[in-house]
Amino acid sequence: MSSVKVGLLGLGTVGAGTVNLLARNRDEIARRAGREIDIVHAATRHPDRPRACSTEHFRLTSDPFAVVDDPAVEIVVELIGGEGLARELVLRAIDNGKHVVTANKALIASHGNEIFEHARRQGVTVAFEAAVAGGIPIIKAIREGLSANRIEWLAGIINGTSNYILSEMFYQQRDFADVLAEAQGLGYAEADPTFDVEGVDAAHKLTILASIAFGIPLQFDKVHVEGITQIGSEDIAYAKELGYRIKLLGIARRVVGKGISLRVHPTLVPQRRLLANVDGVMNAVMVHGDPVGSTVYYGPGAGAGPTASAVVADLIDVTREINTDPKHRVPFLAFQSHALSDEPVLGVEEIETRYYLRMDAQDTPGVLADVTRILGDNGISIEAILQKQPPPGADHVPVIILTHEVSERRMNAAMAQIEALPTIQGRLTRIRVEHLD
Amino acid sequence: MSSVKVGLLGLGTVGAGTVNLLARNRDEIARRAGREIDIVHAATRHPDRPRACSTEHFRLTSDPFAVVDDPAVEIVVELIGGEGLARELVLRAIDNGKHVVTANKALIASHGNEIFEHARRQGVTVAFEAAVAGGIPIIKAIREGLSANRIEWLAGIINGTSNYILSEMFYQQRDFADVLAEAQGLGYAEADPTFDVEGVDAAHKLTILASIAFGIPLQFDKVHVEGITQIGSEDIAYAKELGYRIKLLGIARRVVGKGISLRVHPTLVPQRRLLANVDGVMNAVMVHGDPVGSTVYYGPGAGAGPTASAVVADLIDVTREINTDPKHRVPFLAFQSHALSDEPVLGVEEIETRYYLRMDAQDTPGVLADVTRILGDNGISIEAILQKQPPPGADHVPVIILTHEVSERRMNAAMAQIEALPTIQGRLTRIRVEHLD
């Protein structure tokens, strides 16, 4: 049987890693795919620059459209990133009848519905294991490994940069700004770290995970997103004292009879949970399904090797799909079918969860009584209170409260009333708490 | 398209769980499989007994051969366990041209080569996700999710009973016999716990994992197996003092240029590793591949729900395979191909690892000098030594030594020399140490 012909868009670190991996494990890969996989055409902005891979076995061009229009190419691998040119190229590849493998989470999260509709019409596959959690085969695990389950919720550490920063803040008792600067020096954070530290990158990935887990359309704009820039080192210390770690989680949860909650925010996680112990740039996703219960998938969320691992696994899967008689093909994605669920995405005010509150209170009798009365009046019960010594020279003391489960709506009301107390200084810090059980 | 017809052998808790799951998530499952999946014929020893599932939609028989010989049945699900009758039924089903899904790890580990040879000849699939680590889709993760990788090693907590016992010994400072009796009362351990606590069950699962990871034949009889019955609560305490947890691990490692090491034994694992924090009856498998690096898969290793989740996922995969044109099918398993690797399995004396040694030494000067001289003479360097106070009234003190990496052969020689010292009482306790990095 002839080899499968692949066109590659982008020859940066992941692109070169993909070329090298296909060469290095060539025989194994052919055995698993049922055919050899050959890159025949690749596009890069600067074809003349030296590369981290050999380029002698394929045509090299600076025109990416030459690759997606090449009649010999059966699968296009998109590794250029971004949403503009990448979208145009991927749609054109699909409309040319080619299958697509992409590592581009922003593209799938923001334009996936359009892309999958084109793919459905053309009868081609769009695979994107590399777009979420790098080397962890989480898309396959949810889509196939847990295919018999009804997924109830999932929660993931799906941004390595913010997890690295939170880990350093925890272990080294350092401040956010300090660690961020170091992470930028180490190459763990971009010069403009907004996408990572403000939760946007995690929201892209959560959008994709939720779509597969619940069979809903991609709805990136409905994800509630909060980053880690407001997390103080004191919050990390108080959380530890209470038995928790603070992690930036992407959470998708089916709220029976109401809809799907989609949110990215810093979260207190009990320190005994596996997710609480995922450190540095690593990623992990916990999935709770019926009847399986909870399973967790952990691994490197970025980097040339892990991403190439996922890209080539997708190439093998797509090759096996190509080997299949077209009239027996099952859509690669649940959401490539027509049967998308129309369950609504809930606003964050609809959720019910536990809360960590931190406030600066006047060091006078009766303040705690006012605060607890307001919480009680709003039907909020308290699990724990920490009242710390005032910092030297200060007349305000930090008060930390952990609550039991309550609706965000009630918590918003209670917080407004507490902030209005003359004995409370400034705004409250509110971090949601998830027990993940 | 007509539904796929399934025959079921065994209607115990997992069998009933499978029936219930296929009914409860029927539409979702059909969407993912491309066809509906119907159980049409089931065998159970006592058809008249009440069941935990409805039996009105299929024929019920006490004769399992009636199921595997039923011309209407396309896939046989084997859930009766054991190696005798199960082997006979599975081989007959295959020879009748039927696909097989099984949760039977002993059957696959001990008779898999014969079974897969029959399956290869008949062009049918034998799927066994449920045989290893229950609800964790670890077979699929290694076989497909990491298909682009060269697997270098894997290490897993793959026996829930022994992990429960070790967890209780750690957290409650209790003795092995005490916890085992309680586990039997709770139903976590069998009346005859040998398979679990002596490592046999873990060895079955390791055999299967290694075969998939390295493409080698199933070689259960070559696994080095040690259980947890010799682990004392003092070892757990000393390990903790040194920063380690003791876990029963199944380990498969490619030793470049030599072969594959396959072993099940208690292992000191650094407490910061995720595997060290897998508690109770849960399972977890760490897989290290090139280029992905390390990934971990965690979840429930047993129980009706998790096992049924894996059985039905296999049914969906096999159904999709049936939908494929036979001449384009890729063998479901790497080791169903002819290209099995003939890499030898290494004896345990061939391995190199770190060691934890515990000995009772006479509380006199010079003993430690003798012991360290013997280790030095054998080229073994020491990472840490703990010398404890003697127990009240005893004239011997516990000495604990952690070594750097050394060959098991050298360690055996050194241990024999140390045990021959007149100042050392009894045998040494030796537990291997794996840093999993």
Side-chain angles (χ1 to χ4, degrees):
Chain A
M1 204 184 292
S2 67
S3 69
V4 168
K5 308 293 190 291
V6 174
L8 185 58
L9 305 174
L11 265 180
T13 53
V14 175
T18 301
V19 172
N20 288 332
L21 179 54
L22 284 170
R24 191 162 77 248
N25 291 354
R26 183 172 178 79
D27 293 344
E28 272 295 285
I29 288 167
R31 193 157 67 80
R32 290 167 183 173
R35 293 162 74 180
E36 297 197 321
I37 297 175
D38 283 323
I39 295 173
V40 295
H41 206 163
T44 175
R45 247 183 301 185
H46 305 286
D48 298 328
R49 283 199 191 154
R51 301 274 148 208
C53 65
S54 161
T55 57
E56 60 181 319
H57 295 296
F58 46 81
R59 285 174 62 194
L60 198 56
T61 174
S62 62
D63 175 16
F65 289 94
V67 172
V68 300
D69 289 340
D70 183 341
V73 166
E74 296 163 84
I75 308 174
V76 169
V77 176
E78 185 275 304
L79 299 173
I80 61 174
E83 298 182 33
L85 179 60
R87 171 179 161 277
E88 203 180 333
L89 288 164
V90 163
L91 288 175
R92 182 131 145 202
I94 292 169
D95 293 343
N96 284 337
K98 301 182 195 313
H99 307 272
V100 171
V101 171
T102 177
N104 190 331
K105 55 229 166 205
L107 177 71
I108 297 294
S110 297
H111 305 284
N113 297 324
E114 177 188 24
I115 288 168
F116 296 125
E117 178 56 26
H118 280 246
R120 195 187 58 73
R121 283 205 302 262
Q122 292 290 330
V124 299
T125 290
V126 177
F128 48 88
E129 183 66 77
V132 182
I136 310 172
I138 183 66
I139 304 285
K140 180 176 284 284
I142 296 175
R143 200 174 70 88
E144 301 176 29
L146 305 179
S147 57
N149 288 266
R150 181 175 166 88
I151 306 298
E152 292 169 347
W153 55 264
L154 61 85
I157 294 171
I158 44 183
N159 179 267
T161 304
S162 54
N163 200 56
Y164 172 83
I165 293 172
L166 290 173
S167 299
E168 288 295 299
M169 290 174 74
F170 178 82
Y171 286 110
Q172 317 290 343
Q173 287 93 45
R174 293 167 64 191
D175 281 332
F176 172 79
D178 181 24
V179 178
L180 174 59
E182 186 200 60
Q184 288 170 319
L186 289 169
Y188 291 167
E190 309 275 343
D192 176 0
T194 313
F195 262 42
D196 290 319
V197 300
E198 294 292 7
V200 178
D201 175 76
H204 283 144
K205 295 164 182 166
L206 181 72
T207 301
I208 298 172
L209 289 175
S211 182
I212 292 172
F214 301 120
I216 57 176
L218 294 146
Q219 295 165 84
F220 170 65
D221 54 345
K222 294 194 181 155
V223 180
H224 173 81
V225 187
E226 295 174 30
I228 61 168
T229 54
Q230 302 307 310
I231 300 296
S233 50
E234 67 273 33
D235 293 314
I236 288 177
Y238 297 146
K240 183 180 179 186
E241 197 174 332
L242 292 160
Y244 292 84
R245 291 280 301 270
I246 299 180
K247 292 292 180 185
L248 182 67
L249 294 190
I251 299 171
R253 187 185 290 272
R254 190 194 298 273
V255 184
V256 177
K258 296 180 78 178
I260 309 281
S261 166
L262 296 182
R263 46 203 167 96
V264 171
H265 54 65
T267 313
L268 269 73
V269 179
Q271 66 192 4
R272 281 282 296 278
R273 292 267 172 275
L274 281 193
L275 283 196
N277 294 287
V278 171
D279 289 324
V281 296
M282 301 304 277
N283 281 200
V285 181
M286 188 167 187
V287 184
H288 190 89
D290 171 34
V292 72
S294 287
T295 55
V296 178
Y297 308 85
Y298 165 95
T307 309
S309 165
V311 166
V312 174
D314 271 351
L315 278 173
I316 291 172
D317 272 358
V318 173
T319 300
R320 295 181 58 158
E321 192 73 14
I322 291 175
N323 297 346
T324 304
D325 187 341
K327 69 175 185 291
H328 291 293
R329 279 184 202 156
V330 176
F332 187 71
L333 293 164
F335 55 86
Q336 276 178 270
S337 83
H338 285 289
L340 281 180
S341 159
D342 57 0
E343 282 199 80
V345 174
L346 303 172
V348 72
E349 67 284 357
E350 309 277 339
I351 70 168
E352 297 209 355
T353 189
R354 297 173 175 82
Y355 293 86
Y356 160 104
L357 301 176
R358 176 171 56 82
M359 61 201 76
D360 281 320
Q362 228 170 65
D363 193 13
T364 51
V367 177
L368 219 51
D370 286 342
V371 171
T372 55
R373 179 186 46 74
I374 290 173
L375 290 173
D377 287 351
N378 284 280
I380 300 171
S381 43
I382 293 168
E383 187 189 318
I385 299 185
L386 292 181
Q387 184 162 355
K388 310 304 292 185
Q389 293 300 316
D395 61 344
H396 281 74
V397 294
V399 173
I400 296 92
I401 297 179
L402 272 190
T403 76
H404 287 292
E405 220 164 81
V406 60
S407 76
E408 178 112 349
R409 212 184 294 276
R410 282 188 183 208
M411 179 52 72
N412 288 341
M415 285 174 68
Q417 292 164 36
I418 294 171
E419 285 172 349
L421 288 173
T423 48
I424 296 295
Q425 178 173 297
R427 305 290 306 267
L428 270 56
T429 295
R430 172 242 309 266
I431 309 178
R432 298 174 190 88
V433 181
E434 294 282 345
H435 281 201
L436 305 177
D437 51 12
Chain B
M1 203 183 291
S2 67
S3 69
V4 168
K5 307 293 190 290
V6 175
L8 185 58
L9 304 175
L11 265 180
T13 52
V14 175
T18 301
V19 171
N20 288 332
L21 179 54
L22 283 170
R24 189 162 79 248
N25 291 355
R26 182 170 181 79
D27 293 345
E28 271 296 285
I29 288 167
R31 193 157 68 80
R32 290 167 183 173
R35 293 163 74 181
E36 296 197 322
I37 296 175
D38 283 324
I39 293 174
V40 296
H41 206 162
T44 174
R45 246 183 302 186
H46 304 287
D48 298 328
R49 283 198 192 155
R51 300 272 148 208
C53 65
S54 161
T55 57
E56 61 182 318
H57 295 297
F58 46 80
R59 284 173 63 194
L60 199 56
T61 173
S62 61
D63 175 16
F65 289 94
V67 173
V68 300
D69 289 338
D70 182 341
V73 166
E74 294 164 85
I75 309 174
V76 169
V77 176
E78 185 275 303
L79 300 173
I80 60 174
E83 298 182 33
L85 180 60
R87 172 180 160 274
E88 201 179 337
L89 288 165
V90 162
L91 288 176
R92 181 130 145 201
I94 293 168
D95 293 342
N96 284 338
K98 302 181 195 312
H99 307 273
V100 171
V101 171
T102 177
N104 190 331
K105 56 228 167 208
L107 177 71
I108 297 294
S110 298
H111 304 284
N113 297 325
E114 177 188 22
I115 288 169
F116 296 126
E117 179 54 27
H118 280 247
R120 195 188 57 75
R121 282 205 301 263
Q122 291 291 329
V124 299
T125 291
V126 177
F128 48 86
E129 183 66 78
V132 182
I136 311 171
I138 184 65
I139 304 286
K140 181 176 283 285
I142 297 175
R143 200 174 70 89
E144 301 177 30
L146 305 178
S147 57
N149 288 266
R150 180 173 167 90
I151 306 298
E152 292 168 347
W153 56 265
L154 60 85
I157 294 170
I158 45 183
N159 179 266
T161 304
S162 55
N163 199 55
Y164 172 82
I165 292 172
L166 291 173
S167 299
E168 288 294 300
M169 289 174 73
F170 178 83
Y171 285 110
Q172 317 291 342
Q173 287 93 46
R174 292 165 66 192
D175 281 333
F176 172 80
D178 181 25
V179 178
L180 173 60
E182 185 200 60
Q184 288 171 319
L186 290 169
Y188 291 165
E190 311 275 345
D192 176 359
T194 313
F195 263 41
D196 290 320
V197 299
E198 293 293 5
V200 178
D201 176 77
H204 282 145
K205 295 164 182 167
L206 181 72
T207 302
I208 299 171
L209 289 175
S211 182
I212 293 172
F214 301 120
I216 56 175
L218 295 146
Q219 295 165 83
F220 170 64
D221 54 345
K222 295 193 182 155
V223 180
H224 174 81
V225 187
E226 294 172 31
I228 61 168
T229 54
Q230 302 306 313
I231 300 295
S233 50
E234 68 273 33
D235 293 313
I236 289 177
Y238 298 146
K240 183 180 179 188
E241 198 174 330
L242 292 161
Y244 292 83
R245 291 280 301 270
I246 298 180
K247 293 292 183 186
L248 182 68
L249 293 190
I251 300 171
R253 187 185 291 271
R254 191 193 299 273
V255 183
V256 177
K258 296 181 77 178
I260 310 280
S261 165
L262 297 181
R263 47 204 166 97
V264 171
H265 54 66
T267 313
L268 268 73
V269 179
Q271 64 191 7
R272 281 282 295 279
R273 292 266 171 277
L274 282 193
L275 283 196
N277 295 287
V278 171
D279 289 324
V281 296
M282 301 304 277
N283 281 199
V285 181
M286 187 165 188
V287 184
H288 191 89
D290 170 35
V292 72
S294 287
T295 55
V296 178
Y297 308 84
Y298 165 94
T307 309
S309 166
V311 166
V312 174
D314 272 351
L315 278 173
I316 291 172
D317 272 357
V318 173
T319 300
R320 295 180 59 159
E321 192 72 13
I322 291 175
N323 297 346
T324 304
D325 187 340
K327 69 176 184 293
H328 290 295
R329 278 184 202 154
V330 176
F332 188 71
L333 292 164
F335 54 85
Q336 277 179 268
S337 83
H338 284 289
L340 280 181
S341 159
D342 57 0
E343 281 199 80
V345 174
L346 303 173
V348 71
E349 67 284 356
E350 309 277 337
I351 70 168
E352 297 210 355
T353 189
R354 297 172 174 84
Y355 294 85
Y356 161 103
L357 300 176
R358 175 171 57 81
M359 61 202 75
D360 282 320
Q362 227 171 67
D363 193 12
T364 51
V367 179
L368 220 49
D370 287 340
V371 170
T372 55
R373 179 187 45 77
I374 290 173
L375 292 172
D377 287 351
N378 284 281
I380 301 171
S381 45
I382 293 169
E383 188 188 318
I385 298 185
L386 292 181
Q387 183 162 356
K388 311 304 290 184
Q389 292 301 314
D395 60 345
H396 281 74
V397 295
V399 173
I400 296 92
I401 297 179
L402 273 189
T403 76
H404 287 292
E405 220 164 84
V406 60
S407 75
E408 178 113 349
R409 211 184 294 275
R410 280 187 185 212
M411 179 52 73
N412 288 341
M415 284 175 67
Q417 293 164 34
I418 294 171
E419 285 172 349
L421 288 173
T423 48
I424 297 294
Q425 178 172 298
R427 307 290 306 266
L428 270 57
T429 295
R430 172 243 308 267
I431 310 178
R432 298 176 189 87
V433 181
E434 294 281 346
H435 281 199
L436 305 177
D437 51 11

